[in-house]
Amino acid sequence: MSRYMPEGWNLPEIDDLNRQFFTSGKLLVQQCTECGTVQHLPEDVCHDCHAMTFDWVEASGNGTIYSYVIVHHPVHDMLRERVPYGVILVQLDDYPSIRIVGNLVDVDPSEIAIGKPVSVSFEEVEGADGEMVTIPQWVAA
Ligand SMILES: [Zn+2]
């Protein structure tokens, strides 16, 4: 999939904590090895029991739009041709405590609505250091 945002738009900064999430090509969430809580974004500490050890579990990639915003004002020159665009907050079907931000890439922003089912789709982009970054985006389900 080509990028939804303009070519050259910033990529996430990859570090040891988020590398699996942004490079695996799978929708992975952290699961605490002590209490089983799942969480996103990846963090050092479990939100529930404060343990610091995690496994990665793969989510189905299906969810629903929990909330969204339509961006009309280009906050950067690179976005002048991109606006209007939607930014959606997706609640995962199999891990409803988790919500992930992204773009709904195949739907006109005027058709975005809370409750619409979506599925994950990955954009593959080569980072500055040559590492492939897989950005979770969303398509109508
Ligand atoms: Zn825990």
Side-chain angles (χ1 to χ4, degrees):
M1 167 194 294
S2 62
R3 290 196 77 182
Y4 180 75
M5 298 307 276
E7 291 301 324
W9 187 245
N10 287 341
L11 291 171
E13 186 172 327
I14 307 299
D15 58 28
D16 289 344
L17 203 52
N18 67 21
R19 178 165 281 104
Q20 281 290 97
F21 181 78
F22 282 119
T23 64
S24 68
K26 301 173 184 174
L27 192 63
L28 300 178
V29 296
Q30 280 185 317
Q31 184 168 42
C32 175
T33 59
E34 296 298 318
C35 75
T37 294
V38 290
Q39 65 184 27
H40 177 79
L41 296 164
E43 293 186 30
D44 287 319
V45 177
C46 173
H47 294 175
D48 195 46
C49 76
H50 305 137
M52 299 179 72
T53 55
F54 297 91
D55 288 326
W56 291 99
V57 293
E58 185 174 2
S60 69
N62 298 316
T64 56
I65 298 174
Y66 181 84
S67 188
Y68 69 95
V69 63
I70 307 298
V71 178
H72 294 273
H73 177 73
V75 295
H76 189 279
D77 281 346
M78 291 179 75
L79 298 173
R80 285 194 194 288
E81 303 299 318
R82 177 69 266 178
V83 292
Y85 63 92
V87 178
I88 64 172
L89 184 61
V90 176
Q91 182 171 33
L92 299 183
D93 286 352
D94 44 357
Y95 299 110
S97 64
I98 292 181
R99 298 176 191 139
I100 298 178
V101 174
N103 304 111
L104 186 59
V105 299
D106 65 339
V107 171
D108 186 272
S110 66
E111 297 175 28
I112 295 174
I114 290 171
K116 277 195 170 182
V118 294
S119 296
V120 73
S121 177
F122 291 93
E123 293 179 352
E124 290 186 40
V125 185
E126 186 174 344
D129 61 358
E131 186 171 29
M132 288 306 292
V133 179
T134 51
I135 304 169
Q137 291 282 35
W138 303 93
V139 295

